[in-house]
């Protein structure tokens, strides 16, 4: 692979960096209580690999420099960046903040747009720290980790609930988590594993970087860098101490029955075999989170009876799926999942808006992208037991496409017969259970 200036990103460099990461991981695993020095790995080869892994076509930050422009003089820029990062002269630029609509269309949420150089440096540091903290993270943590996915978290949750017969579930929701992370606590936690002053200083600069919104510069006292490459890792490290380690080392040994947790980023479900255990943990959770500057959402965090056969059992949402008890085809009570109502409504609204915008495009182009969107939806929500929701999504999409195609021209006679013939020429993909419990059970 060649850059605009002729620099070659060959596979040998990638393998060399990967070998270094493996060595870092082995050292971190063998010395779990040791704080490590890491900045000596930050050489030109490391940054070229970081450049390769950094997205080039994203929105530009405050400096207005795109990824392709940065790559045009990569050798010179990398040398200067390494010098500034290691000498302490690097200044984390303000993050440009823009507001985008939420799924319901009523509220808006902020997203950050760092400069490309800042993203590149964050990627280089993330490549250093991930091999270290991956040795500390627990198996029940799935979000923003290499080789782990939301569907693995869903499978683990299903297995755990089936094993304890549902039990009592705490559906945990942290209020504005990414905006509430305390920089002092975050730096203290990171210091346990990172002794290197260069790396710690850079993380401190990112945690305290300003935010530019509507031409106004502000410096939030809490939160991780908006849109930052390093943010998911810092967030995981933070919740590892706040929740994961506490639950595994302090909570579980004190429980009378079985208990487990599944966490994906800031979404978590805690399950207990006995009501007494669930009530004890539910009572102390707010105090535990408050120690780290975090607040549980009073309306969204709840405890429910999810036992198999209980008359009062409820349902809960996790990673876009509503979990509930129902009979299988063989007549047994099993935990089933279906697309959560809010997610389904959000997806339908987004699809309708897109079909409206592209209604004047050539049908061949519409069909190609529409199939991609449908496959993307089915690939995520195509889980055992969710067939009716997927079929409903396809049915409503077909009707919406027909509606907007009819509005392309009022002169053309476009009725259902015309549309049926069109679908024969341009068939839409059928929903299938991509993530099958039956296949998962057969493999195990």
């Amino acid at each position: 692979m060649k850059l605009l200036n002729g620099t070659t990103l060959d596979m040998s460099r990638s393998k060399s960096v990967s070998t270094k990461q493996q060595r870092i991981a082995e050292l971190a695993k063998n010395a779990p209580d040791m704080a490590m020095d890491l900045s000596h790995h930050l050489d030109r080869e490391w940054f070229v690999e970081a450049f390769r892994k950094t997205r080039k076509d994203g929105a530009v930050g405050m400096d207005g420099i795109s990824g392709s422009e940065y790559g045009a003089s990569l050798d010179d820029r990398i040398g200067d960046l390494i010098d500034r990062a290691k000498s302490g002269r690097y200044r984390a630029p303000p993050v440009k903040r823009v507001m985008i609509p939420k799924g319901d269309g009523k509220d808006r949420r902020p997203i950050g747009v760092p400069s490309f150089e800042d993203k590149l440096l964050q990627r280089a540091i993330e490549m250093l720290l991930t091999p270290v903290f991956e040795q500390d993270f627990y198996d029940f943590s799935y979000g923003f980790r290499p080789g782990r996915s939301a569907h693995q978290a869903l499978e683990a949750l299903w297995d755990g609930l089936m094993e304890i017969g549902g039990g009592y579930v705490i559906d945990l929701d942290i209020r504005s988590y990414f905006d509430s992370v305390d920089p002092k606590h975050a730096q203290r936690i990171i210091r346990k594993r990172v002794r290197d002053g260069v790396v710690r200083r850079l993380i401190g600069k990112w945690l305290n970087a300003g935010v530019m919104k509507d031409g106004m510069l502000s410096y939030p006292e809490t939160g991780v860098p908006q849109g930052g490459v390093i943010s998911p890792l810092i967030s995981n490290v933070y919740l590892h101490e706040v929740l994961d380690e506490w639950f595994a080392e302090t909570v579980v040994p004190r429980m009378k029955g079985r208990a487990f947790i599944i966490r994906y980023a800031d979404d978590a479900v805690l399950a207990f075999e006995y009501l007494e255990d669930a009530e004890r943990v539910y009572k102390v959770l707010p105090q535990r989170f408050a120690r780290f500057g975090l607040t549980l959402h009073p309306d969204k965090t709840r405890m429910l009876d999810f036992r198999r056969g209980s008359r009062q059992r409820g349902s809960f949402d996790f990673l876009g799926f509503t979990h509930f008890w129902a009979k299988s085809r063989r007549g047994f009570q099993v935990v089933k999942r279906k697309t959560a109502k809010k997610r389904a409504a959000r997806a339908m609204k987004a699809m309708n808006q897109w079909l409206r915008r592209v209604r004047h495009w050539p049908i061949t182009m519409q069909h190609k992208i529409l199939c991609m969107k449908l496959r993307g939806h089915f690939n995520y929500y195509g889980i055992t037991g969710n067939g009716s929701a997927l079929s409903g999504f396809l049915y409503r999409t077909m009707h919406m496409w027909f509606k907007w195609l009819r509005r392309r021209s009022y002169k053309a006679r476009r009725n259902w017969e015309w549309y049926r013939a069109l679908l024969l020429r341009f068939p839409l993909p059928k929903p299938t259970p991509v993530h099958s419990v039956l296949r998962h059970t057969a493999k195990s």
Side-chain angles (χ1 to χ4, degrees):
M1 175 181 177
K2 289 188 176 181
L3 304 180
L4 298 180
N5 64 346
T7 302
T8 301
L9 303 182
D10 55 31
M11 293 305 296
S12 62
R13 289 183 174 181
S14 297
K15 291 180 180 179
S16 176
V17 172
S18 177
T19 300
K20 293 177 182 178
Q21 288 180 308
Q22 290 175 8
R23 292 172 182 169
I24 294 172
E26 290 174 3
L27 181 59
K29 184 177 182 179
N30 294 331
D33 298 322
M34 183 180 75
M36 303 176 64
D37 285 312
L38 300 167
S39 62
H40 60 279
H41 293 292
L42 294 174
D43 55 17
R44 188 176 298 273
E45 184 179 58
W46 192 277
F47 271 87
V48 169
E49 178 65 9
F51 178 84
R52 187 185 70 83
K53 291 184 175 181
T54 303
R55 181 179 172 182
K56 317 297 189 299
D57 58 350
V60 298
M62 295 294 299
D63 59 3
I65 299 176
S66 66
S68 58
E69 291 173 321
Y70 196 93
S73 54
L74 185 63
D75 287 336
D76 294 336
R77 290 182 184 273
I78 281 182
D80 178 61
L81 179 58
I82 293 174
D83 182 59
R84 284 183 288 132
K86 291 191 174 183
S87 67
R89 293 185 293 108
Y90 182 81
R91 297 183 62 183
V95 176
K96 182 169 68 175
R97 177 173 289 187
V98 296
M99 306 297 290
I100 63 171
K102 283 189 174 181
D104 54 13
K106 299 177 182 178
D107 300 323
R108 297 169 53 163
R109 64 182 179 90
I111 62 169
V113 185
S115 68
F116 181 82
E117 182 175 70
D118 206 44
K119 287 190 286 187
L120 173 60
L121 183 54
Q122 288 190 34
R123 175 64 68 190
I125 300 301
E126 182 269 339
M127 288 164 54
L128 279 180
L129 297 182
T130 294
V132 176
F133 288 106
E134 274 295 312
Q135 312 313 309
D136 300 338
F137 292 156
Y138 289 92
D139 287 340
F140 54 73
S141 168
Y142 291 88
F144 305 117
R145 294 183 59 189
R148 288 173 168 256
S149 68
H151 289 100
Q152 290 176 336
L154 289 165
E155 281 187 6
L157 178 60
W158 189 87
D159 290 339
L161 292 173
M162 290 296 294
E163 183 179 347
I164 67 171
Y168 297 87
V169 166
I170 296 177
D171 182 9
L172 190 148
D173 187 279
I174 307 172
R175 174 178 278 174
S176 303
Y177 170 64
F178 294 98
D179 291 329
S180 303
V181 172
D182 188 317
K184 293 182 180 179
H185 282 303
Q187 288 175 296
R188 175 187 60 78
I189 295 169
I190 290 172
R191 279 199 300 269
K192 293 181 179 181
R193 286 300 252 158
V194 181
R195 182 173 55 192
D196 199 300
V198 171
V199 176
R200 282 162 43 177
R201 183 168 57 241
L202 286 170
I203 292 175
K205 290 181 178 182
W206 286 319
L207 289 170
N208 294 285
V211 174
M212 182 68 73
K213 180 183 176 183
D214 299 329
M216 300 293 293
L217 181 62
S218 62
Y219 292 90
E221 296 182 357
T222 60
V224 292
Q226 287 282 342
V229 176
I230 199 73
S231 299
L233 178 60
I234 295 177
S235 302
N236 262 340
V237 171
Y238 202 79
L239 278 180
H240 171 76
E241 176 158 322
V242 176
L243 181 60
D244 300 356
E245 193 173 53
W246 171 73
F247 187 87
E249 304 295 332
T250 304
V251 172
V252 172
R254 289 172 168 80
M255 298 292 98
K256 293 184 177 180
R258 291 171 292 180
F260 71 91
I261 177 176
I262 300 295
R263 181 174 69 82
Y264 190 93
D266 60 326
D267 292 329
V269 172
L270 290 67
F272 304 85
E273 186 176 7
Y274 298 138
L275 175 61
E276 179 183 352
D277 291 339
E279 289 178 334
R280 288 174 59 194
V281 175
Y282 187 68
K283 183 178 180 180
V284 302
L285 272 174
Q287 295 95 313
R288 175 65 186 179
F289 277 77
R291 286 180 53 188
F292 295 85
L294 302 176
T295 305
L296 296 181
H297 199 293
D299 299 324
K300 297 181 180 180
T301 298
R302 62 195 182 103
M303 184 178 73
L304 65 146
D305 182 350
F306 197 69
R307 291 173 299 165
R308 180 193 287 118
S310 173
R311 294 182 178 180
Q312 298 178 346
R313 70 184 179 208
S315 63
F316 64 93
D317 293 347
F318 183 62
L319 298 180
F321 290 91
T322 298
H323 293 67
F324 61 100
W325 284 98
K327 285 186 177 182
S328 67
R329 292 182 178 180
R330 296 183 178 181
F332 300 108
Q333 286 287 324
V334 297
V335 176
K336 290 196 173 184
R337 287 80 56 90
K338 63 181 179 181
T339 308
K341 289 183 179 180
K342 289 184 178 180
R343 289 290 188 94
R346 183 193 308 176
M348 290 309 310
K349 182 175 181 179
M351 181 68 79
N352 187 60
Q353 291 174 340
W354 180 79
L355 288 170
R356 179 183 180 183
R357 287 198 308 270
V358 305
R359 64 186 183 275
H360 294 298
W361 289 9
I363 291 180
T364 53
M365 186 180 299
Q366 289 189 46
H367 174 257
K368 179 180 179 180
I369 300 178
L370 178 57
C371 288
M372 292 172 58
K373 288 180 175 291
L374 285 171
R375 290 192 188 98
H377 185 88
F378 297 155
N379 283 342
Y380 185 79
Y381 292 103
I383 198 167
T384 301
N386 198 33
S388 60
L390 298 181
S391 298
F393 184 82
L394 175 62
Y395 178 80
R396 290 189 291 272
T397 298
M398 291 171 60
H399 276 259
M400 285 190 297
W401 195 26
F402 176 55
K403 178 184 72 173
W404 291 114
L405 286 177
R406 291 185 66 187
R407 298 189 183 188
R408 285 163 60 98
S409 172
Y410 291 101
K411 296 180 180 180
R413 184 181 179 183
R414 289 175 174 159
N415 52 26
W416 276 107
E417 286 72 20
W418 169 85
Y419 188 52
R420 291 192 187 96
L422 179 76
L423 290 177
L424 291 176
R425 293 171 53 207
F426 300 99
L428 298 178
K430 303 299 181 184
T432 55
V434 179
H435 309 278
S436 170
V437 171
L438 297 177
R439 283 200 295 270
H440 168 64
T441 304
K443 290 179 181 179
S444 58

